[in-house]
Amino acid sequence: MTKSKLSVEQCATELKAVIARENRRVTSYDVAQVAGVSQSAVSRCFKPGASVSKATYALVMRAAALLDYIPNAAARSLITRRSNMVALIITNQANLYYPELLAELSQQINARGKRVLLFTLQREADVDCVLADVWQYQVDGVIAAARLSAEHIAEFERRRMPLVLFNRMLRDHSVNTVTCDHDEAGRLLVSRLAAAGHRQFGIIAGDADLSVAYERRRGACERIAELGLPPPVIAPGQYDYRSGALGLKAIIAQLGSVPDAIICGNDLMAIGCLDCARLELDIEVPGQLSVAGFDAVEPSSWIGYNLTTLRQPLPKMAASAADLLCARIAQHDTEIEKRVFSAQFIEGATARLTPAGASITAPARSATGLPLPVAIM
Amino acid sequence: MTKSKLSVEQCATELKAVIARENRRVTSYDVAQVAGVSQSAVSRCFKPGASVSKATYALVMRAAALLDYIPNAAARSLITRRSNMVALIITNQANLYYPELLAELSQQINARGKRVLLFTLQREADVDCVLADVWQYQVDGVIAAARLSAEHIAEFERRRMPLVLFNRMLRDHSVNTVTCDHDEAGRLLVSRLAAAGHRQFGIIAGDADLSVAYERRRGACERIAELGLPPPVIAPGQYDYRSGALGLKAIIAQLGSVPDAIICGNDLMAIGCLDCARLELDIEVPGQLSVAGFDAVEPSSWIGYNLTTLRQPLPKMAASAADLLCARIAQHDTEIEKRVFSAQFIEGATARLTPAGASITAPARSATGLPLPVAIM
DNA sequence: TTGTATGCGTTATCAC
DNA sequence: GTGATAACGCATACAA
C-alpha cells in the first residue's frame, strides 16, 4: 500500500517535471496516466453525477491533486457549447449611481454557477464594440443595464442569445426585462405630496435619454395633471449634484417664487437642490419647500439630509434578472417575461407629509397590478 | 459579376438553413465553403497581420458577413493558450467605497485588448472558491484588489499566473503591486495640521485588517510622535458613516474634551464625524475642531462638507496596474515591480490650515523617494 | 463501470 | 499567398 502510494507520487513528480520541461499544461491525460485509468475516466470524475466507482474516483482525485490539475474551461465549453459565462453590460453611469448593483448581479450570477464577463460602457455608443466581444466569447447569456437599440435586440434574437434588460424598457419588443416601476414611483411621490397640501411642483428631470429619468418624470407629470394641480415647472438636469442647484435656481427664476415641492430625478440632484436651498438661498426645507429624490443612495440617509425618496429593491431585482436569464439559458423556449418591481417609499424629513393612506382626490394607480408599497415608519 | 454575387448569397442562405437545422454554430469551414477558399485562409483573414491577398480577404469577409460568422474565442484560446481574459478580484467593500475603481480598471484592461472576468468577494474568505474558477477559466492574468494570503501568492507563482495586487501590500513577497502611499498620506496630513497649530489629535481608524486603514493610521501616528506632539486618542471604526459619530464621541469621552483635530480613516467616517459634531454636538468645524478624511469621495466635495481630504490617483493607478499585468503577460520574465503613487492633498474647509510649504519642526519624509505631492489651491 | 474513438472550432506548421 | 494536416484539452457515444 505504502509502496504503491509512493510510486504514484514519484510518477506524478516525474511527470510534472516533464510537463514543465515541455512547457505545456497539465491535462486529463496526464492525470489518467498517473492514476492508471483512461482519460475519459478522469473526465467523468470531474462531472458531477457521472457514474464512477469510489475506487477510481479516489485514484483520480489523488493524481489530480498531485499534479495540480484543474479542468480547462475553454476546452470544455468547446464541446459542451456552454461557457458558463454571462456577460454583464453596464454603463459607467449605472455603476456610479448604483455601486451595489454590480455586486448584487455578480453575486447572483455566481450563485447560479456562472461567471461574469464584465463590459463597462463609457458612452452608450460603445455598445457595438462590446457586442462583438460578446459574440466571440461564447457567453451563455447577457444581462444589459444599458441602452440597446432595436437592431441590437434583433441581433440577440438572430444569434439566439438569451438576454435580460435591467431597468431598460423597450416597448414593443419581446425581451426579458426586469425593471422598477419608475412611472408608478413618480405618481406615488406626487400623490403623497399632494395629499399633504403641495400644489405647485417643480421637477428637476434627469437626462431625457434615460428611460428611468423619463418614466419618473412622466409618472409625476401625469399624476399632477390628474389631480388638477397647476402644471409643474420642469428644469433639465444630468443626474449629478450640480444639476440640483442649477435646477432649483432655474425653477425659482421661471416661477418667480419658491414652489411648494421639488421632485428630483435622483437623490444626487435632490441633495444638490437641498444644499443650495439651505446653504445658499436660505430656504427652509421642508418648512418653505419640500424636496424629494429617487434611489435612496447612501448619503440620502445621513442625518444632515434624511431625504424623502424612493428605493428600488435592487437585490430582488438582481436576483430576478439572474433567475430569468438562467431559466432561458437552461431552456431556450421559455416565455418572455417582464418583471416589474415597486419602489419603496422612504418618508425622510425633507418633505411635509401626512401619514400614508390619507385619502386624496383620485386613487393612486398601480401600473403593475401589484399592491402599492406601504410607506415605512 | 452580378450573377456570381447572387450565387454566393444563395449559397450562404442555403448553408445557413442547413446550419440552423443541424443546430450547430457557424464555423470557419462554413465561411470557407461559401467563399470558395480553404479554412486556413479564413482563419488568416481574422488574424491581424497575416499574409492574405486582397481578393481572398474580400471574398472571405463577404462570406463571413453573410453567415454572421464570428471566430470562437474558446477554440482560439485552446490552441493559442491565450484567453485574452483577465480576472479582476475585488471585494464588495472596495467596490462600494471606490465605485469608479472598477470602471477604471475595466476600461484600462479593455483598452489593452483584454476582457474582464469579474469576481466580487462578499467576504475575504471567499477568495478560495474564486481562485478555483480563475484557474479553470484560463485567464491570462489577475488583478486583485483583495487580500491574498502568502499561500495564495505561492499558488500564483506555482501556476505561473501573472498577478498584480492593487492597494494591497504584501511585505517580503515578490509580487507586482500598485499602491497609493497611504503611510505617506497619513504623515502628510499630520504635518499640514501640525503646521497650522493643531496639537492634540484624535484618530478614527478603519478596520485594522485592511492594510489601507492600517497604513494611514500608522503614518499619522508616527508623524505625531516625530513632531513631539501628545499621543493621539484612537477610536476604532469600520469605514462607514456611523463609525464617524461613534468615534467622535468616544474620543471626546476619553479625552474629556474636544481634540484639536480628528483624522478619519476615510471620508465616510469623516463626514459622519462632521455631521455629528455640527448637528448633534454643536461643535464648530473647523473653528473648534478640524476634521479630515481620505479618498475624496464625491460627497466630500459637496458644499455642505467641502472636506479636507487626500485623493488617490485611481485612474493612474488603474492604468499602471493594467500596464504591469499586460507586460507580464506578454513576457513572463519581466521584473517584479512595486509602483507607489502619492495621494493628492485637498485642502477643503473642514480643517484650519496654513499655506502649503510652511516650515514645520521635522521635514516630511517621502517613503517612496518620489517628490511629495504639492497641495492644490 | 470502464476504455476507445471521435469531434468541438480554432491556430500553426509545413509543403506547395 | 494558399491548402492539407496536426494539434489544443475535453466530453461523449458506443462497445466492452
Side-chain angles (χ1 to χ4, degrees), chain A residues 68 102 106 116 118 120 158, chain B residues 68 102 106 116 118 120 158:
Chain A
D68 285 325
L102 196 54
S106 159
V116 172
L118 177 70
T120 59
R158 193 149 42 84
Chain B
D68 285 325
L102 196 53
S106 159
V116 172
L118 177 70
T120 59
R158 190 149 43 86

Side-chain angles (χ1 to χ4, degrees), chain A residues 145-224:
Chain A
R147 207 173 195 195
L148 299 185
S149 69
E151 290 74 35
H152 291 141
I153 305 282
E155 191 167 8
F156 273 88
E157 280 178 14
R158 193 149 42 84
R159 298 188 184 271
R160 295 211 187 102
M161 176 69 78
L163 168 67
V164 173
L165 292 182
F166 194 92
N167 252 351
R168 312 278 157 150
M169 270 301 203
L170 211 58
R171 304 230 171 269
D172 312 323
H173 272 275
S174 57
V175 194
N176 280 311
T177 60
V178 171
T179 54
C180 184
D181 194 336
H182 303 292
D183 201 280
E184 178 196 74
R187 302 176 64 88
L188 175 62
L189 187 51
V190 167
S191 297
R192 290 293 307 269
L193 289 167
H198 299 80
R199 289 189 49 83
Q200 178 61 60
F201 284 83
I203 295 180
I204 306 178
D207 191 341
D209 265 10
L210 274 136
S211 61
V212 169
Y214 175 73
E215 290 170 19
R216 285 170 177 173
R217 173 184 146 176
R218 185 185 54 194
C221 288
E222 282 182 5
R223 188 74 187 129
I224 288 171

